[in-house]
Amino acid sequence: MNTKAIYAACLFAALNICTLSARAETTATAHTYTYGTHLDIKRVVAVSQDPTPACGVVNARMTYLDSHDKTQVLDYLKFGDGCIGDN
């Protein structure tokens, strides 16, 4: 087997893995965090928050894998990063 065929096969496999993980994220329904919610987090995949910098409470979302490698999405509130000069 020549080198170009091996590289092409590896690239194809990598693209398939990325596509499968993207599909898994879209099928997960978001849950809203409440005090006392049991979190089963094996690995955090992504964390995002409202795009505008704000000083105060903002919406945030965490996508993670649980102990069964199932993609979960959690919506929660956090203190924004837009406060200048505040502790």
Side-chain angles (χ1 to χ4, degrees):
M1 195 170 196
N2 62 19
T3 309
K4 288 183 182 179
I6 293 173
Y7 290 142
C10 290
L11 179 62
F12 182 71
L15 289 174
N16 280 334
I17 291 171
C18 292
T19 303
L20 288 175
S21 65
R23 281 190 215 143
E25 284 186 34
T26 58
T27 60
T29 57
H31 300 283
T32 303
Y33 176 80
T34 57
Y35 184 76
T37 300
H38 173 71
L39 299 177
D40 179 18
I41 301 173
K42 180 178 180 182
R43 184 172 59 96
V44 175
V45 176
V47 177
S48 62
Q49 68 180 28
D50 290 339
T52 54
C55 183
V57 178
V58 296
N59 294 315
R61 175 171 278 191
M62 176 174 57
T63 305
Y64 64 94
L65 296 176
D66 63 12
S67 61
H68 302 289
D69 288 330
K70 182 178 176 191
T71 301
Q72 303 287 340
V73 178
L74 182 72
D75 291 331
Y76 61 99
L77 299 174
K78 67 171 263 187
F79 198 72
D81 300 328
C83 299
I84 299 174
D86 291 340
N87 293 333

